[in-house]
């Protein structure tokens, strides 16, 4: 694909009506060409080989080879199509998160699992995410492994000296899986995360991360304590803010839209970390489209804190880290494979 050529899309769905809607929505978008449709996983793989699309829109629940099977069968590499999962929340949430961890770069939420005109509601979001996916870089995705069994005796934890806040978007589930799975059980700082993902999926993200990490990973609830050994993931559809009460740092959920289109918003999380922890706040900006996190990174640096960014070499989309780096706000940068070592240097 060149800058002038359209994004070539293969639509994969076992519902004839859904294929019709997705094809129509994408065909009406400027700079997008639907090169074919597939009715199931095996048909999708045959069409990929025949048509070499830039992007797949991928249903997950299909007869025979399902969406996860398609993802795992795609040959890794620069020529592989990028995958946008089109999924319903609820029973499909864990499948969708597994697909994101397996290499899908975007997720679009179906407003209904039924064959109704409501499927047209996903139009603008679908087009935007197909375009984002087309610009994403294919990265090798290590197979996540279950976390090692917890030690028989509880880990003794000293009071935290630093707080770590993390923001990410496109490619975030893969990046978070890799980052958090490498953090040891005695990591000395509480961690709070903001991930751009549609409403209804963060509980599944937290559960899957928890299964692959030595640390405890929880979806945020109002009043939840942040402490060493715990990772708190902002709930999709709401902002996560931090409050400090003496030695305690608590999660606060904010449903108001405020000034941003992102819910949760990385800037809002980072700014609250700057207010509550000042020079002891460490912000980490990972792969993602756009510049959410830029204002929050500036707030952390103005408070004397530290801002780390993922290097372009490992980003799926080098947008959010680029914005922070170009503004001169990054204390240091590293590829994802070196990020834990860099992070540990700043939380001692």
């Amino acid at each position: 694909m060149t800058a002038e050529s359209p994004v070539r899309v293969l639509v994969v769905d076992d519902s004839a009506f859904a294929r019709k809607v997705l094809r129509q929505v994408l065909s009406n978008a400027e700079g997008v060409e639907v090169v074919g449709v597939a009715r199931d996983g095996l048909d999708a793989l045959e069409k990929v080989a025949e048509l070499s699309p830039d992007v797949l829109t991928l249903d997950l629940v299909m007869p025979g080879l399902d969406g996860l099977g398609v993802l795992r069968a795609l040959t890794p590499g620069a020529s592989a199509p990028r995958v946008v999962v089109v999924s319903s929340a609820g029973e499909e949430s864990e499948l969708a998160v597994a697909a994101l961890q397996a290499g899908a770069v975007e997720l679009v939420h179906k407003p209904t699992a039924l064959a109704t005109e409501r499927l047209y509601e996903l139009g603008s979001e679908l087009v935007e995410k197909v375009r984002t996916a087309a610009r994403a870089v294919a990265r090798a995705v290590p197979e996540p492994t279950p976390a090692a069994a917890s030690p028989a005796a509880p880990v003794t934890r000293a009071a935290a000296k630093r707080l770590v806040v993390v923001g990410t978007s496109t490619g975030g589930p893969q990046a978070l899986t890799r980052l958090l799975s490498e953090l040891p059980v005695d990591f000395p700082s509480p961690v709070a995360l903001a991930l751009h993902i549609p409403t209804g999926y963060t509980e599944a993200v937290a559960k899957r991360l928890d299964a692959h990490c030595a640390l405890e990973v929880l979806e945020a609830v109002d009043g939840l304590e942040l402490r060493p050994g715990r990772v708190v993931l902002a709930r999709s559809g709401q902002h996560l803010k931090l409050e400090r009460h003496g030695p305690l740092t608590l999660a606060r959920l904010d449903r108001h839209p405020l000034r941003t289109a992102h819910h949760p918003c990385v800037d809002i999380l980072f700014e609250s970390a700057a207010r509550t922890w000042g020079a002891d706040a460490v912000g980490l900006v990972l792969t993602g489209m756009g510049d959410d996190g830029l204002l929050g990174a500036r707030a952390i640096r103005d408070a004397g804190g530290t801002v780390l960014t993922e290097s372009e070499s490992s980003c799926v989309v080098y947008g959010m880290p680029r914005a922070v780096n170009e503004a001169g706000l990054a204390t240091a940068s590293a590829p994802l494979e070196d990020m834990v070592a860099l992070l540990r240097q700043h939380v001692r």
Side-chain angles (χ1 to χ4, degrees):
M1 185 185 67
T2 67
E4 296 77 23
S5 61
V7 179
R8 304 176 71 258
V9 182
L10 175 66
V11 172
V12 184
D13 202 297
D14 69 332
S15 162
F17 183 74
R19 293 196 300 271
K20 172 189 170 184
V21 172
L22 269 60
R23 181 169 199 159
Q24 183 176 340
V25 164
L26 291 168
S27 296
N28 289 337
E30 184 178 355
V32 178
E33 176 188 1
V34 178
V35 296
V37 297
R39 65 185 181 276
D40 57 35
L42 291 176
D43 190 22
L45 293 178
E46 291 175 359
K47 295 286 177 58
V48 167
E50 174 189 351
L51 301 170
S52 299
D54 303 312
V55 176
L56 301 186
T57 67
L58 184 62
D59 187 21
L60 292 177
V61 181
M62 298 182 290
L65 188 67
D66 64 8
L68 277 176
V70 171
L71 268 169
R72 290 167 179 153
L74 291 173
T75 304
S79 62
R82 313 303 184 255
V83 175
V84 176
V85 169
V86 182
S87 162
S88 301
E91 292 183 1
E92 289 187 29
S93 294
E94 291 206 21
L95 274 177
V97 173
L100 290 170
Q101 290 180 314
V105 296
E106 285 285 8
L107 169 63
V108 177
H109 171 60
K110 282 183 182 177
T112 175
L114 303 176
T116 73
E117 298 294 317
R118 285 199 64 204
L119 285 174
Y120 285 99
E121 295 173 14
L122 55 70
S124 60
E125 181 186 5
L126 177 66
V127 171
E128 176 188 354
K129 291 190 173 180
V130 162
R131 288 172 174 157
T132 297
R135 296 193 291 272
V137 178
R139 302 290 183 195
V141 182
E143 188 71 23
T145 56
S150 299
V155 176
T156 301
R157 302 188 188 280
K161 297 180 180 179
R162 300 283 189 275
L163 168 78
V164 176
V165 286
V166 183
T168 186
S169 180
T170 311
Q174 303 109 290
L176 291 175
T177 301
R178 186 164 182 183
L179 174 76
L180 296 180
S181 65
E182 294 179 8
L183 291 180
V185 69
D186 61 349
F187 187 71
S189 300
V191 181
L193 313 173
L195 166 68
H196 297 167
I197 196 169
T199 301
Y201 293 90
T202 43
E203 181 181 4
V205 173
K207 285 181 178 178
R208 288 189 64 85
L209 289 174
D210 184 67
H212 295 108
C213 301
L215 302 176
E216 176 186 41
V217 183
L218 299 172
E219 184 185 38
V221 295
D222 204 61
L224 181 66
E225 181 186 354
L226 276 78
R227 60 184 186 224
R230 174 175 288 175
V231 178
V232 176
L233 175 67
R235 181 173 295 187
S236 55
Q238 301 182 37
H239 300 302
L240 174 60
K241 296 181 176 180
L242 307 178
E243 287 184 0
R244 208 163 182 181
H245 298 272
L248 301 181
T249 299
L250 305 179
R252 294 299 182 198
L253 303 185
D254 188 341
R255 295 173 176 81
H256 298 294
L258 299 177
R259 61 177 189 273
T260 177
H262 300 298
H263 301 80
C265 173
V266 178
D267 283 329
I268 289 172
L269 173 60
F270 279 28
E271 288 168 354
S272 72
R275 285 193 300 271
T276 53
W277 281 75
D280 294 324
V282 178
L284 173 54
V285 182
L286 301 177
T287 175
M289 179 66 71
D291 65 357
D292 189 21
L294 174 61
L295 298 178
R298 180 170 284 114
I300 289 175
R301 289 303 301 271
D302 286 348
T306 300
V307 174
L308 309 176
T309 57
E310 182 180 354
S311 300
E312 183 176 8
S313 62
S314 64
C315 282
V316 172
V317 174
Y318 186 56
M320 290 163 58
R322 180 200 294 273
V324 174
N325 289 337
E326 291 184 348
L329 296 171
T331 308
S333 295
L336 196 56
E337 58 267 26
D338 298 328
M339 188 58 72
V340 168
L342 179 63
L343 190 58
R344 296 201 73 172
Q345 293 176 20
H346 292 275
V347 297
R348 292 173 180 169

